[in-house]
């Protein structure tokens, strides 16, 4: 059997205890996109999480009670941070064993396993290797970068060695970006020839006409979509907006999302009139294009160096002008002709870039059109399918 000669039965396994198929976080959006692309290629693809296909917990032992949540919060406050990080490592290992038991209890079997790589979890790769099934590890980050709390764990060195050994057991690795693929090879000793870069993808979306409550027709809109987490530097976006509004009195800030930083953002924006900004909260994923369509300039104030930003692709699929930091995750995907770049952390430069685009509708339109074409040619589902097809062709299928 080869990837091209027959439709494969593919499991996309997710051992992360906090993820389910119904999630709208970026990692799950990516996995569902991969599933859909595999189906479009004629394969059968099923996402298997710690919950079954009906969205219910698999096994009563995996379902936390309300009391367990209270106990967890109390323990986190009372125990030393190093002990807490160690206990989390132990819990991840326990969850991995449980997840493998769930896979082994299934009555079907795949031709290929594509595993969402998660710390301390080798459930899927162990299951597959025991049966001679090829395994792809979908790697979206390195532990040291995305989970800094593990540095406090007494098991950190063992955990990193565990992850490195797991990378080397995979038949192929799918890195979400070029910089991550490079770091993966350099830090873990993985043979670069087994790493394929499979960035995120976005479908072209027609611009949606429609008003957003609180935004006048003639307003120029600076916008952002995503979680209100501190590492996005949305406080600096809010501060830059206050400055920009002195020059552009019809400017409105549209922040679509929610999160722990929302009270801080609201406190900063109290310096502006109520009609100058709109914070609709978290909206359904299907509604996001309507909000982006109302934006004139879309901002990415900060991001991670290793990712393949879905925000960038979602903005680009609607032909929006984007201002973004010159991080490797972004510059490896797009050029200065497709996104207005600023030096990461230089919010004077960020404000100047926004100002230039807000003052020039023609420049906004051209930049947005360039990005739209980039998304259609390099980051479409068809482009993802071509990358995946090439990767599958290099797998060691038997029989």
């Amino acid at each position: 059997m080869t990837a091209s000669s027959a439709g494969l039965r593919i499991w996309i396994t997710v051992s992360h205890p906090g993820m389910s198929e119904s999630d709208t976080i970026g990692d799950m959006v990516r996995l569902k996109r991969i599933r859909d692309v595999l189906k479009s290629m004629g394969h059968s693809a099923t996402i298997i999480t710690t919950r079954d296909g009906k969205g219910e917990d698999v096994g009563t032992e995996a379902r936390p009670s309300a009391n367990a949540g209270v106990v967890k919060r109390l323990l986190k406050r009372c125990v030393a941070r190093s002990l807490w990080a160690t206990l989390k490592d132990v819990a991840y290992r326990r969850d991995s064993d449980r997840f493998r038991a769930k896979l082994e209890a299934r009555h079907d079997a795949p031709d290929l396993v594509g595993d969402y790589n998660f710390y301390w979890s080798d459930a899927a790769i162990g299951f597959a290797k025991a049966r001679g099934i090829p395994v792809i590890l979908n790697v979206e980050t390195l532990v040291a970068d995305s989970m800094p709390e593990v540095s406090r764990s007494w098991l950190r060195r063992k955990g990193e060695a565990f992850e490195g050994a797991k990378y080397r057991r995979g038949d192929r690795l799918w890195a979400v970006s070029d910089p991550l693929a490079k770091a993966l090879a350099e830090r873990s000793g993985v043979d670069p020839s087994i790493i394929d870069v499979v960035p995120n993808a976005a479908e072209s979306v027609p611009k949606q006409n429609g008003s957003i409550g609180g935004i006048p027709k003639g307003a120029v809109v600076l916008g952002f979509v995503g979680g209100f987490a501190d590492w996005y530097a949305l406080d600096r976006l809010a501060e830059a907006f206050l400055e920009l509004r002195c020059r552009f009195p019809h400017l409105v800030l549209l922040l679509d999302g929610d999160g722990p930083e929302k009270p801080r953002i609201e406190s900063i924006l109290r310096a502006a009139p109520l009609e100058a900004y709109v914070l609709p909260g978290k909206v359904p994923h299907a509604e996001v294009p309507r909000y982006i369509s109302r934006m004139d300039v879309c901002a990415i104030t900060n991001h991670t160096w290793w990712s393949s930003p879905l925000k960038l692709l979602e903005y680009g699929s609607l032909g929006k002008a984007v201002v973004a930091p010159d991080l490797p995750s972004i510059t490896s995907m797009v050029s200065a002709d497709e996104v207005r770049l600023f030096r990461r952390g230089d919010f004077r430069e960020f404000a100047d870039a926004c100002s230039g685009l807000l003052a020039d509708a023609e420049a906004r339109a051209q930049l947005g059109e360039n990005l739209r074409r980039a998304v259609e040619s390099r980051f479409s589902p068809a482009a993802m399918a071509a990358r995946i097809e090439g990767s599958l062709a290099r797998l060691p299928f038997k029989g």
Side-chain angles (χ1 to χ4, degrees):
M1 178 183 293
T2 66
S4 58
S5 65
L8 300 173
R9 298 183 303 274
I10 302 172
W11 285 1
I12 300 173
T13 52
V14 186
S15 61
H16 190 307
M19 287 177 63
S20 68
E21 191 174 343
S22 61
D23 289 343
T24 58
I25 61 172
D27 288 2
M28 184 53 72
V29 170
R30 169 179 171 80
L31 295 178
K32 287 189 278 194
R33 173 70 69 193
I34 290 173
R35 177 200 60 193
D36 294 344
V37 165
L38 287 168
K39 287 183 176 181
S40 74
M41 296 167 64
H43 304 298
S44 167
T46 304
I47 294 176
I48 303 173
T49 70
T50 53
R51 301 176 179 182
D52 64 20
K54 297 179 181 178
E56 299 170 351
D57 291 326
V58 179
T60 56
E61 77 278 5
R63 185 186 296 115
S65 65
N67 289 337
V70 173
V71 171
K72 181 178 177 181
R73 287 192 291 273
L74 287 173
L75 278 174
K76 189 172 183 180
R77 291 177 184 174
C78 298
V79 304
R81 297 179 79 177
S82 58
L83 175 58
W84 180 255
T86 305
L87 290 173
K88 286 184 71 175
D89 281 4
V90 173
Y92 291 148
R93 196 73 195 100
R94 178 200 62 198
D95 290 339
S96 175
D97 292 339
R98 287 177 173 172
F99 190 54
R100 178 164 179 174
K102 302 308 175 185
L103 296 179
E104 291 175 341
R106 292 179 64 96
H107 299 296
D108 55 344
D111 301 309
L112 170 66
V113 171
D115 186 49
Y116 171 84
N117 187 67
F118 185 62
Y119 188 45
W120 276 115
S121 178
D122 63 349
I125 197 168
F127 169 88
K129 289 295 182 181
R131 291 160 177 79
I133 300 170
V135 183
I136 294 169
L137 290 182
N138 178 62
V139 185
E140 301 199 30
T141 181
L142 297 176
V143 172
D145 297 296
S146 64
M147 301 174 68
E149 69 273 14
V150 304
S151 63
R152 303 186 181 96
S153 170
W154 299 327
L155 300 175
R156 176 189 177 182
R157 288 189 178 180
K158 287 187 176 180
E160 291 182 346
F162 180 93
E163 290 299 293
K166 184 170 57 174
Y167 297 148
R168 292 186 287 274
R169 291 172 69 194
D171 292 292
R172 299 212 68 79
L173 276 62
W174 286 356
V176 75
S177 70
D178 287 304
L180 178 60
K182 182 179 178 182
L184 195 58
E186 291 175 349
R187 298 189 196 180
S188 66
V190 173
D191 182 353
S193 69
I194 71 165
I195 302 174
D196 297 309
V197 178
V198 182
N200 284 321
E203 290 183 302
S204 295
V205 180
K207 292 184 180 180
Q208 301 185 19
N209 296 320
S211 61
I212 302 296
I215 301 181
K217 280 188 176 182
V220 180
V221 179
L222 174 64
F224 168 88
V225 175
F228 285 28
D230 57 355
W231 62 275
Y232 275 135
L234 295 181
D235 56 338
R236 303 302 298 272
L237 171 58
E239 291 166 357
F241 162 73
L242 295 178
E243 177 187 331
L244 288 165
R245 201 166 190 277
C246 295
R247 181 177 175 188
F248 304 96
H250 299 295
L251 182 63
V252 172
L253 180 66
L254 173 58
L255 301 180
D256 177 0
D258 205 348
E261 283 289 287
K262 189 171 184 179
R264 175 172 167 77
I265 302 307
E266 289 175 329
S267 68
I268 294 172
L269 291 176
R270 288 193 189 107
L274 280 174
E275 64 272 16
Y277 57 92
V278 177
L279 280 67
K282 186 177 180 180
V283 303
H285 195 258
E287 287 288 302
V288 169
R290 183 167 68 88
Y291 283 80
I292 296 176
S293 291
R294 187 61 187 87
M295 299 174 186
D296 295 286
V297 175
C298 298
I300 299 176
T301 38
N302 195 21
H303 219 277
T304 57
W305 65 262
W306 61 81
S307 59
S308 172
L310 276 169
K311 289 178 181 58
L312 177 63
L313 302 183
E314 289 174 343
Y315 296 154
S317 67
L318 284 157
K320 294 298 174 178
V322 175
V323 177
D326 60 353
L327 286 160
S329 54
I330 293 172
T331 57
S332 65
M333 293 176 68
V334 294
S335 69
D337 292 330
E338 295 159 343
V339 168
R340 189 65 52 86
L341 299 167
F342 69 95
R343 284 175 294 179
R344 182 192 180 187
D346 188 338
F347 287 95
R348 174 72 270 152
E349 198 169 290
F350 168 75
D352 289 344
C354 290
S355 179
L357 289 171
L358 291 169
D360 191 339
E362 186 176 336
R364 292 199 304 268
Q366 185 60 62
L367 195 66
E369 177 61 16
N370 292 348
L371 182 57
R372 186 189 64 78
R373 290 176 180 172
V375 172
E376 286 186 350
S377 61
R378 304 198 298 270
F379 306 107
S380 64
M384 175 181 271
R387 290 174 181 266
I388 288 176
E389 185 175 23
S391 181
L392 296 185
R394 292 185 284 272
L395 282 169
F397 287 100
K398 298 177 182 179

